[in-house]
Amino acid sequence: MNKKIVSPCISICKTDPVTGYCYGCARTEEEKKIWKDEKINDEWKKKNLEIIFSRMKGWQLTTFRESYDHKIKEGVSLFKKNLLKKKL
């Protein structure tokens, strides 16, 4: 059974005006749209994950990996988990 490839969105949706990359997931607006397309294949998603990982460095990469891993395991990013906690 194939495991679903989880979207790299970690709920920090702000775009850097210089690079055009999201501060949270390092995707472009176009890449975000493609991820939402139900017809897009897993090979494209895997390749895009490699690309966005290569765009990140230092603390951004470290915190992204931690939040994305949490999202894969728990179904929600750490950022979103903390936001939901504050609303309680």
Side-chain angles (χ1 to χ4, degrees), residues 54-66:
S54 74
R55 290 177 183 156
M56 293 184 241
K57 303 281 185 264
W59 67 266
Q60 182 188 25
L61 179 57
T62 302
T63 57
F64 174 79
R65 282 187 190 277
E66 184 178 348

Side-chain angles (χ1 to χ4, degrees), residues 25-40:
C25 66
R27 293 182 295 169
T28 64
E29 291 300 317
E30 185 62 25
E31 289 167 334
K32 290 177 187 181
K33 288 177 192 170
I34 294 170
W35 270 90
K36 291 178 183 177
D37 183 344
E38 292 176 10
K39 294 178 231 149
I40 204 66

Side-chain angles (χ1 to χ4, degrees), residues 2-9 27 35-36 40-50 52-53 68 71-72:
N2 283 347
K3 212 172 160 185
K4 182 180 177 235
I5 299 175
V6 176
S7 165
C9 178
R27 293 182 295 169
W35 270 90
K36 291 178 183 177
I40 204 66
N41 64 43
D42 285 352
E43 285 307 308
W44 183 91
K45 290 178 179 181
K46 288 176 188 175
K47 183 68 177 162
N48 188 245
L49 281 170
E50 291 173 16
I52 65 171
F53 275 114
Y68 186 55
K71 182 178 180 181
I72 291 169

